[in-house]
Amino acid sequence: MAIKIGKNGELYCNTVKYNWKQCRNMIADGCCGNMSGAWTFANGVSYVNEPCGYKSYRCFKIATGTPAGDLFQQKLPKLISGHKYYFSVFQKMLFDIASSALIHIVFRFITPNFSYNFKIMPHISRGEWYKWSDIFTSEGDSTETTLLVYGQSGNPSVTKFTRDIYLDKFILVDLTDTFGAGNEPSEEWCNKNIREHEVIINYGSMAPAVKKDNLTKIYYEHRVTRGCFDYLTLDSFWEPRDYMYMLTGQTNNVEGYIYSSQNSTLENNEMFYACIDYHRPYSYTQEPDSIDFYFPEAEPVLGHAPIVKNQEFNSGGGMSEWKRASVFNDRKSFSSGSYKLRIDYNNNYTNNEMRLTAINLIRVRDNVEQYNIYNGTNITINDVNKEWCDRWIDGRSSPIIHIKDPNNTKIKFNENYDIICNDIEIRPELKEVKFDLDTGTIYCSKLVKIQNY
């Protein structure tokens, strides 16, 4: 298939190979979409969905009357001396408030060697979400690190919060590990060129939330050996801070699978998107391994995704060996009802390992509605496909962060009809294909790829 540009902004190709870097989000469950138990809350702090977060179904709430002091915290991975770290969070208040009556929110990265304070200033109001960010350098290797969200008042007479404050989309990444020393992007670049700032999180999520207290029993395994890794337990550049399952194939079975212990509601007039983030550096067998998604546990399958050489589809970073496997389909051949989600690992009689996280089954309509709300558009379910879902939807969390590479912004088309670029923003409201050569980004109304991966 040749690379083609349609008259209404469609873009056709064989594959897309992104120059963006993939790195772990060092903060787990940053929107509390999984209600994971990875955070420790003080009195007066909770997660809510009224109001919702920034393009996120949930957010953190610091309620009026909460005392100043420790609010909530999470254990973080170790920080490395001399490494640069990018941190961002969204904040909102619903009403104006005098600065003298406001308790500042301070984000403290606490290690045995140093403590870095990043303060929220008091001028955000009127119900708008505002992105706060900074880059800091670790002053020494840490044996342990804590992110502490702290309420601090400069006015001795103000000891409690006088307005509700909302926080959402926590992101922390190691820029030095991701880009190499001396090649780290600026704060301004990160603010504009991190995919996860603008994706839609946890709308239409139907797969059950994975929490610390249900990790081993929310999914069951059959004909495959499963290992379970809890939130915050993994501390390497190539493993997620969210939960992780490791599946090992059995040599006497062509496939094994995991299935949810809870049912989800199927409405047969809806479109569904299912996905996982999986780790397989390459396929070991002549007949490639693959992944099938079932909802219900019956034919026809919701969708099939071959396992590929993941590092061919990004340009590096600690999570470069991870990739999303996803499918997009209707369920018109089934009756509406309550069914389980099943994910098959087709190991082809080998004992190969596959790691996975971010298991999601999503009703796409909810995400189309949110896209319209935030962009002032009027697209419909008929305007989107799997590639649109891959670009704009995260499930309950964002364990993998994608950052465009400022040192590689060229847009290329190779002889295999592949597109090589930093990102493709699929915006159905567009009527033409646009190229941003400053960031290496392509804009189109629809992306159609001939190769399934």
Side-chain angles (χ1 to χ4, degrees):
M1 175 183 180
I3 293 174
K4 297 191 295 185
I5 296 177
K7 62 181 180 180
N8 291 317
E10 303 96 342
L11 184 58
Y12 300 84
C13 65
N14 180 36
T15 69
V16 179
K17 299 183 178 182
Y18 293 105
N19 290 327
W20 61 27
K21 305 291 187 182
Q22 296 184 178
C23 53
R24 62 174 176 168
N25 190 351
M26 296 169 67
I27 301 175
D29 203 15
C31 300
C32 234
N34 272 305
M35 302 167 287
S36 61
W39 296 90
T40 301
F41 292 160
N43 291 332
V45 179
S46 62
Y47 51 82
V48 296
N49 57 10
E50 290 289 344
C52 60
Y54 178 71
K55 300 186 180 181
S56 172
Y57 181 71
R58 288 195 184 91
C59 62
F60 300 87
K61 177 182 178 181
I62 303 168
T64 301
T66 301
D70 294 357
L71 299 172
F72 56 107
Q73 59 185 286
Q74 184 180 123
K75 178 185 175 184
L76 297 184
K78 296 173 288 188
L79 301 183
I80 299 175
S81 180
H83 279 214
K84 292 183 178 180
Y85 295 86
Y86 171 83
F87 170 72
S88 68
V89 64
F90 285 80
Q91 182 213 12
K92 179 172 78 170
M93 293 189 337
L94 297 181
F95 303 100
D96 286 330
I97 186 170
S99 59
S100 61
L102 183 68
I103 297 177
H104 295 178
I105 298 175
V106 180
F107 298 96
R108 293 181 173 174
F109 295 92
I110 303 171
T111 80
N113 301 314
F114 79 102
S115 178
Y116 175 78
N117 291 349
F118 172 51
K119 183 184 294 183
I120 290 289
M121 302 305 289
H123 60 267
I124 303 306
S125 58
R126 300 185 185 278
E128 299 295 326
W129 284 100
Y130 186 85
K131 184 196 304 172
W132 294 94
S133 65
D134 203 0
I135 291 177
F136 67 92
T137 301
S138 176
E139 297 177 5
D141 291 337
S142 67
T143 55
E144 58 183 24
T145 310
T146 299
L147 167 60
L148 173 64
V149 183
Y150 184 83
Q152 177 176 298
S153 178
N155 185 341
S157 66
V158 180
T159 60
K160 297 181 179 180
F161 284 85
T162 55
R163 288 290 188 272
D164 295 343
I165 295 179
Y166 303 90
L167 301 171
D168 197 31
K169 284 198 172 182
F170 283 86
I171 290 176
L172 177 67
V173 295
D174 185 334
L175 294 178
T176 303
D177 174 71
T178 304
F179 290 90
N183 296 315
E184 300 94 341
S186 66
E187 178 189 353
E188 180 182 12
W189 178 270
C190 292
N191 282 341
K192 295 179 179 179
N193 293 289
I194 289 181
R195 169 192 174 275
E196 283 66 31
H197 282 147
E198 301 301 324
V199 298
I200 302 167
I201 295 180
N202 201 24
Y203 278 94
S205 292
M206 300 169 59
V210 180
K211 309 177 185 182
K212 290 178 72 70
D213 62 3
N214 72 5
L215 174 70
T216 61
K217 54 182 180 285
I218 201 67
Y219 288 95
Y220 293 114
E221 73 273 13
H222 183 65
R223 297 191 299 195
V224 66
T225 302
R226 183 186 64 160
C228 301
F229 298 84
D230 205 350
Y231 289 87
L232 314 183
T233 60
L234 301 172
D235 189 4
S236 63
F237 296 119
W238 63 274
E239 293 173 309
R241 290 295 284 174
D242 278 46
Y243 68 91
M244 187 181 80
Y245 295 118
M246 186 171 73
L247 308 184
T248 303
Q250 298 177 355
T251 55
N252 58 332
N253 290 312
V254 68
E255 66 178 11
Y257 55 86
I258 61 172
Y259 59 96
S260 58
S261 61
Q262 299 177 6
N263 288 5
S264 300
T265 300
L266 185 155
E267 300 167 80
N268 66 3
N269 62 335
E270 296 283 359
M271 294 295 297
F272 297 95
Y273 174 69
C275 60
I276 60 171
D277 288 330
Y278 74 94
H279 175 274
R280 280 293 305 278
Y282 50 88
S283 183
Y284 294 91
T285 58
Q286 285 186 330
E287 183 179 357
D289 302 348
S290 59
I291 301 164
D292 292 327
F293 295 85
Y294 284 89
F295 178 63
E297 293 185 271
E299 299 290 348
V301 65
L302 180 63
H304 173 85
I307 290 177
V308 297
K309 296 179 180 179
N310 298 344
Q311 288 175 304
E312 291 185 354
F313 296 93
N314 65 86
S315 69
M319 302 293 279
S320 64
E321 294 179 344
W322 288 77
K323 192 179 181 303
R324 179 175 295 189
S326 61
V327 296
F328 173 85
N329 214 335
D330 64 57
R331 301 281 78 193
K332 292 179 180 178
S333 62
F334 295 99
S335 300
S336 296
S338 182
Y339 302 100
K340 297 183 184 302
L341 169 67
R342 192 178 102 188
I343 300 170
D344 285 21
Y345 173 36
N346 300 311
N347 60 295
N348 294 307
Y349 300 105
T350 68
N351 59 356
N352 295 339
E353 295 175 351
M354 180 180 74
R355 295 168 172 84
L356 61 101
T357 188
I359 301 171
N360 295 300
L361 173 66
I362 295 168
R363 187 173 53 239
V364 179
R365 168 173 50 86
D366 300 57
N367 294 270
V368 171
E369 291 173 355
Q370 291 302 309
Y371 181 91
N372 285 332
I373 289 170
Y374 279 100
N375 294 287
T377 54
N378 194 33
I379 71 170
T380 71
I381 194 74
N382 297 321
D383 296 318
V384 306
N385 59 4
K386 185 181 85 72
E387 283 66 41
W388 183 91
C389 296
D390 287 340
R391 178 55 184 80
W392 294 112
I393 298 176
D394 271 359
R396 294 182 179 274
S397 63
S398 296
I400 301 175
I401 303 300
H402 302 78
I403 312 176
K404 298 177 191 177
D405 187 354
N407 305 305
N408 191 2
T409 59
K410 292 182 179 180
I411 297 173
K412 299 178 181 180
F413 306 97
N414 69 21
E415 61 186 10
N416 295 320
Y417 307 116
D418 303 320
I419 297 174
I420 304 171
C421 63
N422 256 330
D423 189 12
I424 298 180
E425 289 198 15
I426 305 165
R427 296 189 173 275
E429 67 273 19
L430 294 178
K431 299 302 178 184
E432 60 180 334
V433 175
K434 299 179 180 180
F435 300 90
D436 180 353
L437 300 182
D438 292 330
T439 65
T441 304
I442 301 174
Y443 297 83
C444 66
S445 63
K446 178 175 284 189
L447 176 64
V448 180
K449 299 184 298 190
I450 193 65
Q451 191 177 124
N452 180 27
Y453 60 88

